[in-house]
Amino acid sequence: MKILITGGSGFIGSNFIKYWFKNHPEDSIINLDKMTYAANPRNLVEFENSPNYKFVKGDILDEKIVDELVSQVDTIVHFAAESHVDRSIDDPSLFVRTNVLGTYNLLMAAKKYQIKRFHHISTDEVFGTIELDSTDQFNESTPYDPSSPYSASKASSDHLVRSFFKTFGLPVTISNCSNNYGPFQHPEKMIPRSITSLLSGGKIKVYGQGLNFRDWLHVEDHCRAIEAILLNGKIGETYCIGGLKKGTSNMELVRLILKLMNKGEDSLEYVADRPAHDNYAVNWDKINKELGWEPKYDLESGMKQTVDWYTQNQIWWQETKKEAEEFYIKLNSLNK
Ligand code: NAD
Ligand code: TDX
């Protein structure tokens, strides 16, 4: 395969490139990434001199670059996005441009060059929220009902991708996955923010009372799921991907982190809640039954590996941690 990866220098994209080269060394990859604050050039240093890997710094909104790169590949795996809900509350405009218009740009080029597969990476957040006391789960038939500017922009991009399949026969697949965690995640996100705060002598910030829940998926399990869809998924189909059998509350999550890092509940600080704070849990029966995929990590072993990684790679996160905490200070002062 000749694959164009968008957003390959971010968290999931860089894990995917590592995973793909390990398991498919014969394939070639072009990584198109704008290198926003969320990207880290250190993520992919090991491929710098590889003949099968090419990095292009550029924006998916740039029609010329997108046209030139799409003409060279047969497959697109589209990760690039503005991905942080809190930043979309601060400034939604970039989310609409990158996530909606950027996806449109890629779709137009994919149509022009009759790409063999366009795989769109989306999120369970497009489905909205599950009631706090409910054990419901999202599945492929759940109606879209996004709550944040981020999830609304991702929902729009999903609709565009699906419309290019229905209207133009573009060979697309879509995956809607739950919250990922693991190595190389930006310290603005809950799990790395919590681990790096404890490692820096600070406290974990818990939004509200910590009752909201998520379905945590280890990034390597996510990469294996994308691989299963690329190799055996059915064109035009959507696959929901989750890591657990039920939602885990943020309190359960932070207690696990505290336990693994030998800290007590005095290392928790309860802060103002996020507006429109959702709950998510995903039913992943379809990908399990049709493609034989299931997660390998349980939350405890995945979290232990993640805590170890952030403990051993402090140089990787120290600068970005500073910027992330500055962002939170600004966001909190705006909300006062
Ligand atoms: P991330 O923020 O870590 O990385 C995003 C990458 O996209 C960065 O490298 C950034 O530089 C790049 N990018 C942003 N705008 C771009 C543009 N205009 N042109 C080119 N590159 C651009 O995000 P992530 O957590 O790796 O998420 C990847 C994808 O997975 C996103 O589409 C996100 O919506 C989706 N997703 C993420 C999660 C999660 O828990 N992280 C869960 C579900 C779905
Ligand atoms: O400091 C924090 N304290 C806290 O209690 C942060 C950063 C978050 N939280 C809570 C909010 C959520 O309930 O933790 C949960 C997870 O928050 P985030 O890490 O911001 O992730 P979330 O908003 O759930 O979105 C993530 O998963 C779905 C990704 O950022 C999205 O890109 C993806 O689509």
Side-chain angles (χ1 to χ4, degrees):
M1 271 191 237
K2 291 182 185 160
I3 312 176
L4 173 65
I5 307 267
T6 67
S9 301
F11 165 47
I12 307 176
S14 60
N15 274 285
F16 183 76
I17 290 175
K18 289 172 201 289
Y19 177 87
W20 199 266
F21 274 141
K22 195 167 161 201
N23 294 285
H24 307 272
E26 69 287 0
D27 287 347
S28 62
I29 289 179
I30 302 175
N31 170 19
L32 170 62
D33 198 300
K34 184 180 162 187
M35 303 305 286
T36 68
Y37 78 94
N40 193 323
R42 277 195 277 266
N43 290 0
L44 295 165
V45 275
E46 71 258 47
F47 303 117
E48 264 169 14
N49 299 316
S50 160
N52 288 359
Y53 175 72
K54 185 166 137 191
F55 169 69
V56 178
K57 183 173 176 191
D59 194 327
I60 56 170
L61 286 162
D62 183 332
E63 286 174 39
K64 198 162 159 278
I65 291 181
V66 165
D67 186 275
E68 192 185 317
L69 297 182
V70 172
S71 73
Q72 298 171 37
V73 299
D74 49 52
T75 302
I76 298 174
V77 185
H78 175 33
F79 294 93
E82 287 296 329
S83 71
H84 192 31
V85 174
D86 289 329
R87 291 193 196 247
S88 83
I89 295 168
D90 180 41
D91 178 11
S93 66
L94 197 51
F95 287 73
V96 175
R97 277 183 276 135
T98 288
N99 299 0
V100 185
L101 297 177
T103 301
Y104 166 75
N105 231 1
L106 286 162
L107 286 166
M108 288 299 281
K111 174 173 165 284
K112 175 174 169 187
Y113 291 105
Q114 298 182 355
I115 284 296
K116 286 199 191 123
R117 177 71 73 87
F118 184 102
H119 183 68
H120 179 57
I121 307 292
S122 191
T123 169
D124 60 359
E125 301 202 12
V126 299
F127 301 122
T129 194
I130 295 168
E131 291 301 316
L132 264 183
D133 53 359
S134 164
T135 53
D136 285 354
Q137 292 175 314
F138 301 134
N139 63 38
E140 290 78 4
S141 321
T142 305
Y144 278 36
D145 187 18
S147 305
S148 69
Y150 162 71
S151 52
S153 68
K154 292 297 288 188
S156 311
S157 66
D158 291 12
H159 290 318
L160 275 173
V161 172
R162 219 165 265 126
S163 79
F164 270 62
F165 167 68
K166 290 186 188 167
T167 306
F168 305 115
L170 190 73
V172 311
T173 40
I174 298 177
S175 48
N176 294 90
C177 70
S178 59
N179 284 61
N180 283 221
Y181 71 101
F184 299 100
Q185 186 168 30
H186 194 282
E188 68 186 357
K189 304 282 167 48
M190 176 60 173
I191 291 177
R193 187 182 187 202
S194 302
I195 298 170
T196 55
S197 290
L198 293 182
L199 287 171
S200 315
K203 295 188 181 201
I204 295 179
K205 308 268 201 264
V206 179
Y207 291 180
Q209 294 173 281
L211 299 177
N212 294 82
F213 56 84
R214 297 286 185 272
D215 180 345
W216 293 99
L217 169 68
H218 192 280
V219 65
E220 193 183 313
D221 283 328
H222 184 197
C223 293
R224 289 176 38 252
I226 301 167
E227 177 188 43
I229 298 168
L230 282 178
L231 299 181
N232 296 309
K234 214 170 132 204
I235 299 298
E237 292 285 310
T238 291
Y239 297 89
C240 281
I241 310 166
L244 307 172
K245 292 278 185 194
K246 63 179 184 59
T248 295
S249 74
N250 290 339
M251 278 317 290
E252 289 174 85
L253 183 80
V254 297
R255 286 196 174 117
L256 174 59
I257 296 173
L258 290 175
K259 185 181 92 170
L260 290 169
M261 297 185 70
N262 294 316
K263 300 278 181 189
E265 300 226 354
D266 55 342
S267 290
L268 299 182
E269 182 183 343
Y270 295 87
V271 299
D273 209 351
R274 173 185 283 173
H277 198 165
D278 288 338
N279 304 299
Y280 314 120
V282 171
N283 178 314
W284 41 271
D285 281 355
K286 176 176 171 179
I287 186 166
N288 177 246
K289 288 200 179 107
E290 293 185 11
L291 305 181
W293 174 89
E294 63 180 3
K296 280 188 181 161
Y297 283 88
D298 60 64
L299 190 56
E300 180 141 3
S301 63
M303 194 64 70
K304 181 164 185 337
Q305 182 238 34
T306 306
V307 167
D308 289 347
W309 191 85
Y310 282 91
T311 307
Q312 286 155 19
N313 290 277
Q314 306 211 8
I315 289 173
W316 183 88
W317 54 260
Q318 256 152 7
E319 273 308 305
T320 39
K321 168 86 178 159
K322 224 182 283 166
E323 191 275 331
E325 294 306 327
E326 281 162 15
F327 160 72
Y328 281 115
I329 290 168
K330 181 182 139 220
L331 186 67
N332 291 339
S333 68
L334 290 176
N335 292 338
K336 271 185 187 145

